[in-house]
Amino acid sequence: MSTKIEIFDPALCCATGVCGPSVDPELTRISRTIMKLVNEGYDVSRYNLAQEAEYFTEHKGVTELLEKEGPEGLPAIVVDGRLILNGRYPTLSEFAEWLRFNEEDLTVNLPKKTIGLTSK
């Protein structure tokens, strides 16, 4: 049986939260990491409170977290049906531990920024 990870995001403007004029670098990191994990075949799902509230009510642990802490308790991370982390996104090391892979095998490389400058 493979490990299933579900990420319950606070209300975001779009599915990833990576939009608008000021993008949170943490949302960029987690979006990139999840995309890489899914592309590698891992079972990782992400739900946005603003657009997918039904998933929040289907999971007892997440519902209880919201009743106790409100949306400030999000994000919530559920691994194999158990709420194991909330209030922050997991690190790559945590993903590696839960999914049993070598962290170096899944390092997400950031694109190199290049700027073309010419002088006259």
Side-chain angles (χ1 to χ4, degrees), residues 6 11 17 28 30 39 44-45 49 60 77 88 103 117 120:
E6 296 172 284
T28 303
I30 200 67
N39 288 341
V44 181
S45 300
L49 182 59
K60 184 179 179 190
I77 314 306
R88 67 173 178 82
E103 186 177 340
L117 297 176
K120 292 186 178 189

Side-chain angles (χ1 to χ4, degrees), residues 65-106:
L65 173 68
L66 285 171
E67 288 171 357
K68 182 180 177 187
E69 297 187 27
E72 294 77 27
L74 298 175
I77 314 306
V78 173
V79 177
D80 291 334
R82 278 189 9 191
L83 176 65
I84 61 165
L85 178 67
N86 76 287
R88 67 173 178 82
Y89 290 102
T91 63
L92 187 57
S93 297
E94 289 167 324
F95 278 120
E97 178 185 336
W98 301 330
L99 296 169
R100 297 173 202 78
F101 66 80
N102 185 338
E103 186 177 340
E104 289 78 34
D105 293 342
L106 204 71

